């Protein structure tokens, strides 16, 4: 199949492309390589593809440039991961979320319709659960209380996808990943920041005085969920992709310390606006309908990240 992967220079997108290449698919990758975090990491990820991918440096909010990709390639399916990520940054710079996560997704859905794409798999986010207090988070729960511009924009993407799926008979699968981590991970996320600061002897900021839990999900498990969704069009559908096993933030930090052989200097901070105390995925729907089964636990996953960080980031500096 010829698959368009948006956000393919990103953390999850690049892992997904490597898996799809392995399976023999033809990949077209679009990414605007924006500097939200160091684009050198995005370039490093692109190099992992060994020139086997057709790459377009295009902003999906740019209609004309995006349409060219559809004109030049006969695309079978789309995996849409390009988005402005980050909960906290969305309070500082909401406009870029409007551009990438609202205008960008409308452009993509509209060209999918015009160029008769039959199936799209979209990255949504666990953050759509917002103020939801019922755990574990289930796809049937109401998700109309987002608490950040980011989560509101991701929920809007799901709603737009529903409208396009209904109106134009496109199979669209929305996946809600839960706190994804692993090698080549994002420098703005906790695992990367904690590892970097611990190694450099700098304090780490720990929010809500450490009283938080996250359903940390290893990147190859997330990729597995994407590939399964890609192989199973089913009208419009939404799935959680989590580990289904929340881990206390302080235990997560202890695991990082263990693999680094070094203690963290902890700067306890209050809860941050936009953040939630607990995330916990009910993954039974994905297990039942997609055969999804997360395999990598936090100990193994953190070790893989730390090994990567030490060999490719820390020693390179
Ligand atoms: N990492 C997580 O924990 C997590 C959790 C839930 C949902 N998600 C979602 O998964 C997707 C991938 O996340 P990630 O962690 O790999 O983030 P990432 O920032 O590493 O990847 C996103 C990529 O999209 C690109 N991009 C952003 N705006 C673009 C635009 N307008 N045009 C073209 N390219 C653009 C960026 O340059 C980046 O390479 C995102 O949609 C994100 O919202 C991630």
């Amino acid at each position: 199949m010829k698959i368009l992967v948006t956000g393919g220079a990103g953390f999850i997108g690049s892992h997904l492309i490597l898996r799809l290449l392995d399976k023999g698919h033809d990949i077209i990758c679009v990414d605007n390589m924006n500097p939200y975090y160091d684009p050198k990491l995005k370039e490093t990820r692109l190099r992992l593809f060994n020139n086997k991918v057709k790459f377009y440096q295009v902003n999906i909010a740019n209609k004309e440039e995006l349409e060219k990709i559809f004109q030049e390639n006969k695309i079978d399916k789309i995996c849409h991961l390009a988005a402005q990520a980050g909960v906290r940054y969305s309070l500082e710079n909401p406009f870029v979320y409007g551009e990438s996560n609202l205008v960008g997704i409308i452009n993509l859905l509209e060209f999918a319709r015009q160029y008769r794409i039959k199936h799209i798999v979209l990255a949504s986010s666990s953050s759509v659960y917002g103020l939801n207090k019922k755990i574990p988070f289930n796809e049937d729960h109401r998700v109309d209380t987002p608490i950040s511009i980011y989560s509101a924009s991701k929920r809007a993407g799901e709603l737009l996808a529903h409208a396009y799926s209904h109106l134009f008979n496109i199979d669209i699968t929305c996946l809600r990943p839960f706190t994804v981590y692993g090698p080549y991970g994002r420098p703005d996320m906790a695992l990367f920041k904690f590892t970097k600061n611990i190694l450099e002897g700098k304090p780490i900021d720990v929010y809500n005085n450490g009283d938080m839990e996250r359903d940390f999900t290893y990147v190859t498990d997330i990729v597995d969920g994407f590939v399964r969704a890609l192989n199973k069009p089913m009208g419009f559908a939404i799935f959680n992709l989590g580990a289904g096993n929340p881990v206390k933030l302080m235990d997560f930090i202890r695991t990082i310390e263990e693999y680094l052989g070094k203690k963290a200097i902890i700067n306890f901070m209050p809860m941050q606006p936009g953040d939630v105390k607990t995330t916990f995925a009910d993954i039974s729907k994905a297990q039942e309908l997609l055969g999804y089964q997360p395999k990598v636990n936090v100990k193994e996953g953190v070790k893989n990240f730390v090994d990567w960080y030490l060999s490719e980031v820390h020693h390179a500096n």
Side-chain angles (χ1 to χ4, degrees):
M1 275 192 298
K2 193 165 271 202
I3 303 170
L4 172 66
V5 180
T6 73
F11 168 41
I12 303 173
S14 58
H15 280 274
L16 176 61
I17 288 179
L18 288 172
R19 179 83 66 92
L20 294 173
L21 284 173
D22 237 26
K23 291 188 170 292
H25 295 297
D26 238 0
I27 306 298
I28 297 145
C29 166
V30 51
D31 200 298
N32 69 347
M33 307 296 279
N34 70 64
Y36 166 61
Y37 58 79
D38 190 350
K40 281 205 197 87
L41 178 55
K42 300 180 184 182
E43 287 159 17
T44 304
R45 296 182 187 126
L46 289 180
R47 280 197 292 277
L48 300 174
F49 307 153
N50 274 329
N51 298 317
K52 288 190 198 130
V53 162
K54 191 164 174 189
F55 177 67
Y56 289 86
Q57 184 165 351
V58 160
N59 185 337
I60 57 164
N62 183 324
K63 272 210 307 275
E64 289 71 29
E65 290 199 14
L66 183 63
E67 182 165 19
K68 263 194 230 147
I69 302 175
F70 285 85
Q71 286 165 343
E72 290 173 10
N73 301 281
K74 173 96 196 62
I75 295 161
D76 296 306
K77 295 199 179 202
I78 301 175
C79 288
H80 177 52
L81 294 102
Q84 179 57 51
V87 165
R88 287 171 208 131
Y89 183 60
S90 73
L91 280 70
E92 283 167 38
N93 188 357
F95 297 112
V96 68
Y97 291 76
E99 181 180 302
S100 296
N101 303 4
L102 300 177
V103 176
I105 200 170
I106 291 193
N107 289 345
L108 189 97
L109 291 166
E110 183 52 30
F111 292 129
R113 169 181 87 81
Q114 289 180 25
Y115 289 82
R116 303 195 186 288
I117 310 296
K118 285 274 154 242
H119 187 204
I120 308 173
V121 178
L122 290 180
S124 177
S125 165
S126 61
S127 68
V128 300
Y129 288 105
L131 285 179
N132 197 327
K133 290 279 176 287
K134 254 193 281 173
I135 49 168
F137 297 156
N138 177 284
E139 294 88 344
D140 289 334
H141 290 172
R142 289 183 69 166
V143 279
D144 45 15
T145 53
I147 56 166
S148 71
I149 316 301
Y150 168 67
S151 56
S153 74
K154 295 305 276 188
R155 177 63 181 144
E158 292 182 344
L159 296 173
L160 287 164
H162 184 271
Y164 267 86
S165 174
H166 177 81
L167 287 169
F168 308 114
N169 200 20
I170 310 171
D171 288 309
I172 305 186
T173 313
C174 300
L175 302 175
R176 294 175 176 167
F178 281 65
T179 320
V180 188
Y181 72 104
Y184 299 91
R186 276 175 26 211
D188 62 319
M189 292 185 71
L191 178 55
F192 195 113
K193 287 198 287 191
F194 290 172
T195 302
K196 180 174 193 294
N197 283 17
I198 294 171
L199 281 168
E200 292 174 4
K202 294 182 185 155
I204 60 172
D205 288 342
V206 174
Y207 299 114
N208 203 34
N209 297 309
D211 184 17
M212 288 219 252
E213 289 176 312
R214 285 288 176 271
D215 200 339
F216 292 102
T217 314
Y218 194 67
V219 64
T220 53
D221 286 330
I222 293 290
V223 164
D224 190 56
F226 270 80
V227 172
R228 286 171 183 277
L230 203 56
N231 289 335
K232 203 165 177 194
M234 47 175 82
F236 180 81
I238 295 184
F239 292 99
N240 288 338
L241 289 185
N245 178 29
V247 170
K248 288 196 168 61
L249 185 58
M250 293 311 294
D251 290 341
F252 191 68
I253 293 169
R254 299 296 167 236
T255 306
I256 306 171
E257 291 177 331
E258 191 185 310
Y259 289 120
L260 289 176
K262 198 170 171 190
K263 285 266 166 220
I265 307 163
I266 296 181
N267 185 17
F268 285 112
M269 307 269 285
M271 192 71 165
Q272 294 289 293
D275 249 359
V276 296
K277 188 169 167 280
T278 301
T279 66
F280 182 175
D282 179 344
I283 55 171
S284 52
K285 186 178 173 191
Q287 285 173 316
E288 235 169 79
L289 298 180
L290 298 177
Y292 165 77
Q293 191 53 52
K295 295 186 181 71
V296 181
N297 65 32
V298 156
K299 288 236 167 223
E300 190 186 340
V302 167
K303 180 176 186 313
N304 292 346
F305 175 85
V306 166
D307 287 348
W308 167 75
Y309 190 93
L310 288 175
S311 67
E312 295 202 26
V313 184
H314 192 59
H315 287 158
N317 290 334

